[in-house]
Amino acid sequence: MRRHPAIPIFKALGVPLRLVVFQRVARRPSTASELAKELPIGRAAVVQHLTALKNLGLVDASTDGRSRIYRSTPDGLAPLVEWLSRYGRR
């Protein structure tokens, strides 16, 4: 049986702090330092969460001088939305 592409997204967003990081970046593009100031974890932990989200295509990063600005990707949640649409209205 083939694994659905939504499964890794469910797993990634099932980590409470990673979900919060994603929600913050989805609301407003931010640097890891900005996010760390808002959260009860350090910058290195924020970067680890952002890296996991980036590897799944949920966020991307651009460079502005010495800063990396993270933002949610428009189609990152598409596999999850597609999976949920199967079970929405019946």
Side-chain angles (χ1 to χ4, degrees):
M1 187 164 136
R2 197 166 109 338
R3 194 169 111 158
H4 194 281
I7 292 172
I9 296 171
F10 274 117
K11 286 182 178 183
L13 297 179
V15 177
L17 275 171
R18 189 170 298 142
L19 177 60
V20 171
V21 168
F22 177 75
Q23 289 171 322
R24 301 272 170 101
V25 170
R27 267 189 257 132
R28 176 180 48 87
S30 305
T31 65
S33 295
E34 290 169 338
L35 292 167
K37 289 176 188 173
E38 302 171 2
L39 299 170
I41 57 176
R43 185 184 172 286
V46 169
V47 169
Q48 287 180 340
H49 287 299
L50 288 166
T51 300
L53 294 168
K54 189 173 184 226
N55 289 341
L56 289 170
L58 297 173
V59 301
D60 64 8
S62 59
T63 304
D64 181 19
R66 291 178 32 192
S67 299
R68 290 184 62 81
I69 300 170
Y70 294 88
R71 61 186 38 81
S72 62
T73 57
D75 297 327
L77 292 174
L80 186 61
V81 171
E82 183 271 324
W83 186 88
L84 290 170
S85 71
R86 292 182 186 182
Y87 303 100
R89 290 188 167 155
R90 289 189 179 239

